[in-house]
Structure formats: structure tokens, C-alpha cells
Amino acid sequence: MESRKNLDRECLRLIKVFKDVSIQLNNKKKVKQYFNFHQRNLVILMDEVSMEIPKERNRQEKKFIDSELSYLLEKMGNLLEWMDQMCPQIFDYKSQAPIKVLQSEKSKIRVVLDLIKTELEAKCIDDKLSELTTSVLDPEQISTFRDIRYWQTTAMNLYSKIISNTEIDKFGIIKVLIGNGINHRDFFSYSKAFILKEIEKKTTLSDQISAICTLRKEIRMLLIETKSRQFQVHPDINKLVRKFIREELLLLRAMEFVNHETAEAGIMNANYKVSFSVKQLAFFFHLQMETGIIIWQRAKFAHQYIARHFSTIERESISEKSARNAHYSHASEDIKKVITKLSEMLALAQERY
């Protein structure tokens, strides 16, 4: 009991010292240095005590020490909490948080993430997005006081948005995550894939341009909840997504211009019948792309070109879906047929030219 009274008195004494120092120094920079020095050392001491407690629990003859160390850890945690609440302007939020605090806060955040996952499943949101959301907000990535604040705020904000919006969809979740500064690499990759998929759903170039313009408008009008980023070393997710949309839009408009010009020249309506099957024709284009003869940023442009300009001896018209499926399915007999034709072309070129 005496040791606990001493700890209580010492905690009050330190609080008084901190108050006196902040008044006497009358210099924000020096006060900050003083506070941060003691904050870091307090965290180090808390971690050492946290690691010592399990050792003491294994010593049957010294059970009382375990109790006293736990009380000491509690008082240090209270002092650190007081420093955070009373001195937020000079508290070092970028510094490492103690093990005890991290364990407690991570546990609370996991509870919220479980609620988020349950709500997403109830609203039949894509399983991949549900898993991604809990993955990018995995509390194991937390290490500093700033991280704790950010994860707490973001998790609660996301949960409140999901339960308050009964019609929220995949794009709605993406917008909430962007608005809260989530800039995890996996989330950026998912966002790009989602945008491309939304564009590819449209069958005509004009519809694709319209779709991406709608997405751009939604992102531009997005309410940014916080200026903080999930990871300070990663770039701003909002700027990255907007840049990606802008580049895709420029590409589609360039394609629209080329289509218009070639149509005016009478080239666009050209159609060629080939002796290849659809799979053989797709493999022939695949080889040209692999060797750099044809340069397209994405394979879908080849699928579109084949569908618009070619027919085979078997089929008068080729759908884009058929071209796409054939592009990724190469049977040995089709490969042999293309190799034979390429060999004939090479022999002809060597003989005549």
C-alpha cells in the first residue's frame, strides 16, 4: 500500500513539474523539447515494464511484484494520457506508442473493422472489396500515436457512412476511403482496376468517354474528410486517382480522334477476311504485340480491332468477347498453323526480296 501511495504522489508531482516548466520556460520550443524527451523516456520505461510483467508471473514466490508492476504501468499510462490531453500542441504524435497502448487500441479498432465487414457482407458488397478494406486498415500497421488517432477516426467514419447509407455500392466505399486519405498501394491498384472495368462495360467509345467523365466528376466533387494520409511517405490518393482518370480520358479521346480521321478517309470500314480461325488470328496478333510490331497499351485494343476489321472463313463477324477469349487461349494446333504461315512468309521474303 505504501508503494502505491508513493506512485500516486510521484505522478501528481510530475504533473506539477510539467505545469511549472511550461510556465517558467515561456519558450514553446524548449517546452516541446522538454516534454518530448520525457514522453519518449516514459514510453521506453512502459515497454520495459510490459516485458518484465510476464517474467514475474512465472516466479511463484514473487507474485506481489507482478501486482506492483501492473500498478506502475497503469500510473505511467495515466501520466502519458494526461500529457496527450493537456498538451496536444507539443505532444509528439509521430513517436512510437507504448506496447500496452498499442495492444489496447488495436483491439478496439479490430472490433470496428469486424462491424464494417459484417455490414459490407449484409449489403452484398464485393467480397474482394470487403477483404481489401479490412486488409488496408489492418491495425498491425499501427506504430505511432498519430497512427492510432488516424485509424480510430477512419474506421469509425467508414462504419458510420456504411450504416447510414443503405444504398452504398462499391464506388461509394472507394469514395469514402479516398476521402479519408487511405493511400495503401493495394487500394490504389483496386481503384484503378475498378475504373478500367467500369469503362470496359461500355460497348462504344462514346459511352466509355461518358462513363469516365462521370467518374471524374464524382471524384472532383468528393468531400475530403481529412488532410491526413494513412501513410505519410505515400502520395495523396486523391491526386493519384484523378491523374489516372485524366490519362485514361486523354487516351480515349485520342482514340476517338483517330477513329474519326480514319473514318473520314474511308479506312475505318475496311474489313479483311483471313484463312485463320479466330484463335489463330488472335495468336497472330498476340505474337505481333509480344515482339513489339504492334504497340498497344492494353490488349483490349487488339480485341476491338480484330472484332471491327476481320472476319474468318468460318465466321463473317467476330465479337470482341470472342477475340478476348481467343487471345488468352492458345491451342497447340493453332500455334502450329500460325508458325507454318510465318515460315512461309519468311521463305517468301528471303526468296523474292
Side-chain angles (χ1 to χ4, degrees), residues 158-255:
L158 178 58
Y159 178 61
S160 63
K161 290 288 175 64
I162 293 172
I163 60 174
S164 63
N165 188 347
T166 56
E167 298 182 358
I168 196 165
D169 56 8
K170 283 196 287 187
F171 190 45
I173 301 293
I174 289 173
K175 288 192 292 182
V176 173
L177 293 175
I178 292 175
N180 280 276
I182 294 293
N183 59 350
H184 195 286
R185 289 187 179 90
D186 291 345
F187 173 57
F188 180 52
S189 298
Y190 182 90
S191 300
K192 289 196 299 181
F194 172 83
I195 291 167
L196 290 175
K197 193 171 182 180
E198 288 299 300
I199 296 170
E200 290 172 357
K201 284 180 180 178
K202 308 302 179 182
T203 55
T204 66
L205 196 56
S206 60
D207 286 342
Q208 290 177 347
I209 292 173
S210 177
I212 200 167
C213 284
T214 301
L215 291 173
R216 183 178 65 168
K217 180 182 177 182
E218 290 286 331
I219 296 295
R220 280 181 171 178
M221 297 176 63
L222 184 62
L223 174 65
I224 303 301
E225 303 283 349
T226 176
K227 293 182 180 179
S228 299
R229 299 197 299 269
Q230 182 183 19
F231 301 106
Q232 297 295 323
V233 295
H234 295 180
D236 185 343
I237 185 71
N238 188 34
K239 290 181 180 179
L240 285 177
V241 171
R242 290 173 66 172
K243 180 181 179 182
F244 177 73
I245 288 177
R246 183 171 65 252
E247 289 175 348
E248 287 299 310
L249 180 57
L250 288 173
L251 177 62
L252 290 173
R253 282 179 171 164
M255 290 175 60

Side-chain angles (χ1 to χ4, degrees), residues 4 46 69-79 100:
R4 295 196 175 202
M46 286 182 70
L69 286 177
S70 297
Y71 191 73
L72 171 61
L73 190 60
E74 180 186 340
K75 298 307 291 186
M76 288 191 292
N78 292 341
L79 179 58
K100 178 179 172 58

Side-chain angles (χ1 to χ4, degrees), residues 93-146:
Y93 291 100
K94 294 180 181 179
S95 68
Q96 185 79 18
I99 295 170
K100 178 179 172 58
V101 173
L102 286 173
Q103 289 175 338
S104 174
E105 297 305 325
K106 284 179 181 180
S107 178
K108 295 175 185 176
I109 292 167
R110 284 193 183 93
V111 171
V112 180
L113 290 178
D114 287 340
L115 293 173
I116 289 172
K117 189 174 182 180
T118 301
E119 285 296 324
L120 290 177
E121 290 173 353
K123 287 180 166 54
C124 299
I125 300 295
D126 178 29
D127 289 342
K128 188 175 180 181
L129 179 56
S130 177
E131 292 172 6
L132 177 77
T133 303
T134 52
S135 173
V136 299
L137 284 171
D138 184 0
E140 288 307 311
Q141 300 169 101
I142 299 173
S143 62
T144 66
F145 291 99
R146 188 209 75 90

Side-chain angles (χ1 to χ4, degrees), residues 29-51:
K29 184 178 179 181
K30 290 183 178 180
V31 171
K32 183 175 176 63
Q33 290 174 344
Y34 181 84
F35 265 68
N36 293 164
F37 172 78
H38 286 288
Q39 176 189 336
R40 287 191 294 272
N41 281 281
L42 186 60
V43 170
I44 291 171
L45 183 57
M46 286 182 70
D47 284 347
E48 288 182 354
V49 173
S50 293
M51 290 185 286

